[in-house]
Amino acid sequence: MRPRNTIRKPGVLTGGLLATSLAAGLLAQTPVAAADPAVTDYTLSVDAAGKGPAIDPTMYGVFFEDINNAADGGLYAELVQNRSFEFSPVDNSAYTPLTGWEQIASGGATGSVTVAGDAERLNERNRNYLRVDLAGTGGTTGRFGVVNSGYGPGMALKKGKRYDFSVWARTDNKAGTRLAAELRTADGTVLSAPLGITVRGDRWTKYTGTLVPRTNTTAGRLAVTAAGAGTLRLDMASLFPRDTYKGRANGLRKDLAEKIAALNPGFLRFPGGCLVNTGSHDAYEAPNWQRRRSYQWKDTIGPVEQRAVNANFWGYHQSYGLGYYEYFQFAEDIGAMPLPVVPALVTGCGQNQSTDDPALLKRHIQDTLDLIEFANGPVTSTWGRKRAEMGHPKPFGLTHLGIGNEENLPDAFFAHFTEFRKAIEAEYPEITLVSNSGPASSGATFDRLWDLNRKSGVDMVDEHYYNSPQWFLENNDRYDSYDRSGPKVFLGEYASLDNRFANSLSEAAFMTGLERNADVVKLASYAPLLADVNKNQWRPDMIWFDNDRSWGSTSYEVQKLFMNNTGDRVVPSRASATPSVSGPITGAVGLSTWATSAAYDDVEVTAADGTTLLKDDFTAGASGWTPAAGRGAWAVQDGAYVQTDEAAEDTLVTAGDPGWQDYDLKVKATKKSGKEGFLVAFGVRDTGNYYWWNLGGWGNTRSAVEKSVDGGKQTLMDKPTTIETGRTYDLRVQVRGRQVTLYLDGKEWGSFTDDKAAEPFRQVVTRDKSDLIVKVVNAQATAARTSIDLGTSKVASTARVTTLEGAPSAVNSADDQPIRPRKSTLKGIGRTFTYTFPAHSVTFLRVKSR
């Protein structure tokens, strides 16, 4: 995961004959045009006697990262927000140690509440606690204390269900302090009988009890109040539903866990993602008690009140109540292979720093060895004993381990990876180690890391990319040419850039290529997994939730269909292709900025025959330019067209004719201030469909040509670049047909030809012990009437059909899920038959073979 989407054209590795022989596509014959214009004709031929690659049962899995409130306030079932009063502006500038809490009083009681961080704390790692000073007013009925609002709109409470309350407390009142916990609504209406507790003694003690609401609410509160006088100290005020997934204490929200389990995932990658390898790599210890740290597994095990806390990379707080033990337990509960990822001491996700501290590197390597012992060691070992003490004497059976995540410094990363690898292979040679290829599908970092990984013979390489639907349709054959004898691929993060069904169709089309190349692509997981509809940092996501409900996106339905019908082996098959018509790159021109102020001058557009189409030095203003509404502050200043708002992003302004083709665009560009460089657009059809040359993007570290199709971007080429402030650059873009050549200060910067077909009809065939499974994606507006030859007559006469079908714009929501599986039976199956696959559909046919 990375904070800004970067997509590029994939690199090509060395060839593979098997993948070529199995490629879905593209017979010499052309489909016969159907009489019905709403139908396109295809053929699909299966080599039933042939053997394609075996498919591992772990091929498809899930990737969990605490983004979008996925852990606290999400999968982790704790209902109290900021239960240990550890929230801090370090986590989020809006936070205080009392975030989520309010002072309350009744019956004339008075007092004060403060968050203290002194020597009276619960333990060294739990730095804060709540001090409640009771004034002794209010007689026998007055009460003073605090109320917690939970996450989002409040706590979702169900009538008659049991909720387990706990709190650590101490008091200096020698007679004891009467404490009460109760459930309330936002307006203070009491929902439960109070749980009465008498706190005795001035030593920390854990108190527990059960609360039962009298009615349903999605805006519940937990009130904790006291009567009497003296100083009461509270920490770790907690409320869990008794009904967690598998009934586990400190457990998981049941509906979310069940939706994940329903995917039947083969593996669980955790805990990230960008939060793994960003921030300081120091420990949570004196004197600094560093709060912006990489994810370090030892912080997250043991009793929850003794675990560290951390600032989450995505802008909020991590309690670590959901820690490594819980991840391992969840993987076991859903039958998934655990695949943890540890930091390599080279930060990614825009931070791009290498920690060159041999002692610290040695400590992290030892921590990783200890992690393997925690997962697999006997109870007689140091860390195996800790696992057993937490309730799991049996080893978890760790087989795969990721080192690092999306590092942009390939050589520094690989030097550290090599040290991890030496130590782990010496002690645990049976562990499969996963390296990575950076944050995108191609480019300099991708190429360099793949080169290092291949030469070193690593086991597996983790690829990540978030691309447009167009890219996924164009790159079904991505892995056909990967080296069969090289490292295997773990596609650890991928998604098309939205949650519409059109995105899911493109992902499904791409997944047929993953299965066809199952000898290379051994693991694959869509990302991200979870998102809070009220607080999220990333879209798209597989499962959405609020505090009471959860629902699968259209991509969830696609992933669930593939993950529950994978098969054991690929069966060779071929399908005819869709006739393709592709004209020249056509469109107007544009200028833009991203978090930067820049000036543009001397814009000239010339046709291939030398005719001037546009010439503007802005001496007469900028009346020929159309700003995109509400983005940026454009004005003519000192004879140049200037965008002055440094905070504005995507400030595109356009000029010219959308019908222009075969032209040269020249412009002078100067960065005035800000984080990045400047952007020059061409082939502009509208604000969602264009190309642009992004110079000094990604924090002024790279330049790239990006293509936007219906708002979804993909990168066609990129290079490391830094744009200097105050320097004027001469830019030239030459468009000829579908070929583009770019010049920077008179020298050729690069060129590309954008002529890859976005094939909408894709298929793959697999088999399991009893069935042939024919999987067809039809990502176009016409139905696909398909003549199918199964290659054998030894099949049943009926097939079970599962179809996902709908409008490409369809989005699943809490109240409406238009994209859901439809099951039916197809009769009249034989060796050959015809089936019409609906427009905009994913269809699986399961045919019993004899």
Side-chain angles (χ1 to χ4, degrees), residues 16-37:
L17 294 178
L18 178 59
T20 302
S21 69
L22 295 176
L26 308 177
L27 291 183
Q29 69 192 80
T30 300
V32 177
D36 183 349

Side-chain angles (χ1 to χ4, degrees), residues 86-142:
E86 300 288 338
F87 275 37
S88 164
V90 176
D91 306 323
N92 185 295
S93 61
Y95 286 175
T96 74
L98 281 172
T99 291
W101 295 93
E102 290 183 16
Q103 177 178 303
I104 56 173
S106 65
T110 58
S112 64
V113 295
T114 55
V115 174
D118 55 32
E120 304 302 318
R121 62 175 61 93
L122 179 59
N123 59 64
E124 276 297 289
R125 290 164 73 81
N126 197 327
R127 306 294 294 164
N128 291 346
Y129 65 88
L130 185 71
R131 174 174 172 146
V132 183
D133 289 301
L134 301 167
T137 56
T140 58
T141 59

Side-chain angles (χ1 to χ4, degrees), residues 535-787:
K535 184 177 181 182
N536 52 82
Q537 299 81 39
W538 189 275
R539 185 184 183 95
D541 301 282
M542 194 192 298
I543 300 170
W544 289 84
F545 64 90
D546 58 23
N547 65 340
D548 185 46
R549 301 173 296 176
S550 58
W551 58 96
S553 67
T554 62
S555 292
Y556 173 84
E557 298 297 347
V558 164
Q559 294 290 324
K560 185 178 177 182
L561 186 60
F562 273 85
M563 292 166 79
N564 283 277
N565 296 278
T566 307
D568 304 321
R569 183 174 291 278
V570 176
V571 181
S573 61
R574 288 183 177 273
S576 54
T578 305
S580 177
V581 177
S582 180
I585 292 174
T586 303
V589 298
L591 310 170
S592 190
T593 60
W594 198 292
T596 301
S597 173
Y600 297 93
D601 204 355
D602 296 334
V603 179
E604 184 174 0
V605 181
T606 307
D609 63 4
T611 304
T612 298
L613 303 176
L614 171 70
K615 194 168 187 177
D616 200 341
D617 61 6
F618 303 103
T619 56
S623 59
W625 294 83
T626 303
R631 293 196 291 237
W634 289 91
V636 175
Q637 296 180 0
D638 301 323
Y641 201 22
V642 184
Q643 198 290 114
T644 57
D645 184 354
E646 285 187 28
E649 299 179 346
D650 194 4
T651 64
L652 183 67
V653 294
T654 63
D657 187 336
W660 281 349
Q661 55 188 260
D662 293 341
Y663 58 77
D664 285 38
L665 164 63
K666 296 179 182 179
V667 61
K668 293 182 179 178
T670 307
K671 174 182 176 180
K672 298 178 72 68
S673 61
K675 297 178 181 178
E676 304 205 348
F678 29 78
L679 303 104
V680 175
F682 54 97
V684 180
R685 308 296 293 272
D686 53 50
T687 54
N689 294 275
Y690 56 85
Y691 299 78
W692 68 20
W693 189 7
N694 183 349
L695 291 121
W698 298 270
N700 203 14
T701 60
R702 305 205 311 276
S703 293
V705 178
E706 295 179 282
K707 175 184 177 181
S708 176
V709 178
D710 295 332
K713 291 197 190 97
Q714 64 188 84
T715 301
L716 303 180
M717 61 179 303
D718 81 317
K719 295 182 180 182
T721 307
T722 300
I723 295 297
E724 299 174 22
T725 301
R727 175 182 167 186
T728 297
Y729 293 82
D730 286 314
L731 311 177
R732 177 185 164 203
V733 180
Q734 182 186 77
V735 181
R736 297 292 185 272
R738 300 204 65 80
Q739 182 174 350
V740 177
T741 307
L742 305 109
Y743 298 86
L744 179 63
D745 289 333
K747 296 181 180 179
E748 183 175 329
W749 181 87
S751 65
F752 66 91
T753 302
D754 184 26
D755 60 357
K756 209 163 191 180
E759 172 59 57
F761 184 81
R762 293 291 188 182
Q763 59 80 35
V764 69
V765 180
T766 64
R767 71 163 72 246
D768 59 20
K769 293 179 180 178
S770 60
D771 293 352
L772 280 174
I773 312 169
V774 180
K775 311 173 189 183
V776 175
V777 180
N778 184 26
Q780 61 186 328
T782 59
R785 184 167 54 206
T786 307
S787 176

Side-chain angles (χ1 to χ4, degrees), residues 219-373:
R221 304 288 190 266
L222 172 68
V224 182
T225 58
T231 296
L232 174 70
R233 293 177 171 86
L234 303 174
D235 205 350
M236 297 298 292
S238 171
L239 187 71
F240 267 87
R242 178 75 57 86
D243 190 20
T244 59
Y245 184 64
K246 300 285 187 181
R248 299 197 180 281
N250 195 52
L252 306 182
R253 180 172 150 176
K254 190 174 181 180
D255 62 321
L256 291 176
E258 286 178 342
K259 280 186 172 58
I260 297 169
L263 291 165
N264 191 28
F267 65 87
L268 171 66
R269 176 180 179 242
F270 63 90
C274 283
L275 59 77
V276 164
N277 66 332
T278 50
S280 168
H281 302 295
D282 292 335
Y284 190 55
E285 61 187 12
N288 297 324
W289 298 101
Q290 174 60 250
R291 279 290 293 269
R292 292 186 181 274
R293 307 184 312 284
S294 56
Y295 200 108
Q296 300 175 41
W297 77 272
K298 289 180 180 178
D299 287 345
T300 76
I301 65 167
V304 291
E305 69 273 8
Q306 295 177 18
R307 299 183 188 183
V309 295
N310 202 3
N312 187 308
F313 173 83
W314 298 106
Y316 53 95
H317 178 86
Q318 292 179 94
S319 74
Y320 286 153
L322 176 56
Y324 256 71
Y325 177 84
E326 290 77 23
Y327 285 124
F328 277 120
Q329 182 66 75
F330 184 44
E332 181 177 272
D333 284 345
I334 63 177
M337 176 184 78
L339 204 168
V341 182
V342 298
L345 276 68
V346 178
T347 57
C349 303
Q351 295 186 356
N352 302 338
Q353 294 183 349
S354 176
T355 300
D356 297 318
D357 182 335
L360 187 59
L361 178 62
K362 183 177 180 180
R363 193 266 288 177
H364 275 265
I365 291 172
Q366 184 58 52
D367 283 351
T368 304
L369 295 172
D370 294 343
L371 170 61
I372 299 171
E373 183 176 287

Side-chain angles (χ1 to χ4, degrees), residues 144 160 194 261 266 343 391 618 725 783 804 823 827:
F144 179 84
F618 303 103
T725 301
L804 298 173
K823 295 183 182 296
K827 297 180 180 179

Side-chain angles (χ1 to χ4, degrees), residues 68-82:
N68 308 317
N69 272 21
D72 295 329
L75 184 62
Y76 185 48
E78 172 66 77
L79 295 175
V80 176
Q81 182 180 198
N82 190 19

Side-chain angles (χ1 to χ4, degrees), residues 314-627:
W314 298 106
Y316 53 95
H317 178 86
Q318 292 179 94
S319 74
Y320 286 153
L322 176 56
Y324 256 71
Y325 177 84
E326 290 77 23
Y327 285 124
F328 277 120
Q329 182 66 75
F330 184 44
E332 181 177 272
D333 284 345
I334 63 177
M337 176 184 78
L339 204 168
V341 182
V342 298
L345 276 68
V346 178
T347 57
C349 303
Q351 295 186 356
N352 302 338
Q353 294 183 349
S354 176
T355 300
D356 297 318
D357 182 335
L360 187 59
L361 178 62
K362 183 177 180 180
R363 193 266 288 177
H364 275 265
I365 291 172
Q366 184 58 52
D367 283 351
T368 304
L369 295 172
D370 294 343
L371 170 61
I372 299 171
E373 183 176 287
F374 176 77
N376 293 351
V379 295
T380 54
S381 66
T382 299
W383 292 99
R385 184 180 307 113
K386 289 187 180 294
R387 181 193 68 242
E389 289 169 354
M390 293 186 72
H392 202 286
K394 182 181 177 182
F396 284 116
L398 178 67
T399 59
H400 290 63
L401 178 67
I403 310 294
N405 173 76
E406 294 187 5
E407 284 77 16
N408 260 320
L409 303 175
D411 291 280
F413 160 73
F414 205 77
H416 286 189
F417 175 85
T418 300
E419 294 303 311
F420 277 88
R421 185 184 182 189
K422 286 178 184 176
I424 295 168
E425 288 184 345
E427 197 160 339
Y428 300 103
E430 71 279 9
I431 297 294
T432 297
L433 296 180
V434 183
S435 180
N436 74 79
S437 60
S441 53
S442 68
T445 297
F446 178 91
D447 292 341
R448 177 59 177 159
L449 278 169
W450 258 110
D451 183 55
L452 292 167
N453 287 314
R454 278 196 306 273
K455 288 179 178 176
S456 298
V458 303
D459 298 323
M460 186 173 287
V461 176
D462 186 5
E463 295 190 354
H464 294 179
Y465 38 81
Y466 297 88
N467 291 349
S468 68
Q470 181 93 356
W471 186 93
F472 282 99
L473 293 175
E474 290 174 350
N475 285 277
N476 175 275
D477 62 351
R478 174 180 175 87
Y479 296 105
D480 290 359
S481 58
Y482 270 44
D483 184 358
R484 266 53 199 167
S485 63
K488 302 306 180 185
V489 172
F490 172 23
L491 180 50
E493 298 182 30
Y494 74 98
S496 173
L497 292 169
D498 207 340
N499 266 145
R500 299 171 300 134
F501 190 44
N503 301 87
S504 309
L505 287 168
S506 72
E507 293 156 3
F510 188 73
M511 292 171 78
T512 66
L514 299 183
E515 291 191 7
R516 191 175 65 250
N517 288 282
D519 55 333
V520 169
V521 183
K522 306 304 286 185
L523 306 169
S525 50
Y526 179 100
L529 179 61
L530 296 175
D532 182 345
V533 72
N534 294 308
K535 184 177 181 182
N536 52 82
Q537 299 81 39
W538 189 275
R539 185 184 183 95
D541 301 282
M542 194 192 298
I543 300 170
W544 289 84
F545 64 90
D546 58 23
N547 65 340
D548 185 46
R549 301 173 296 176
S550 58
W551 58 96
S553 67
T554 62
S555 292
Y556 173 84
E557 298 297 347
V558 164
Q559 294 290 324
K560 185 178 177 182
L561 186 60
F562 273 85
M563 292 166 79
N564 283 277
N565 296 278
T566 307
D568 304 321
R569 183 174 291 278
V570 176
V571 181
S573 61
R574 288 183 177 273
S576 54
T578 305
S580 177
V581 177
S582 180
I585 292 174
T586 303
V589 298
L591 310 170
S592 190
T593 60
W594 198 292
T596 301
S597 173
Y600 297 93
D601 204 355
D602 296 334
V603 179
E604 184 174 0
V605 181
T606 307
D609 63 4
T611 304
T612 298
L613 303 176
L614 171 70
K615 194 168 187 177
D616 200 341
D617 61 6
F618 303 103
T619 56
S623 59
W625 294 83
T626 303

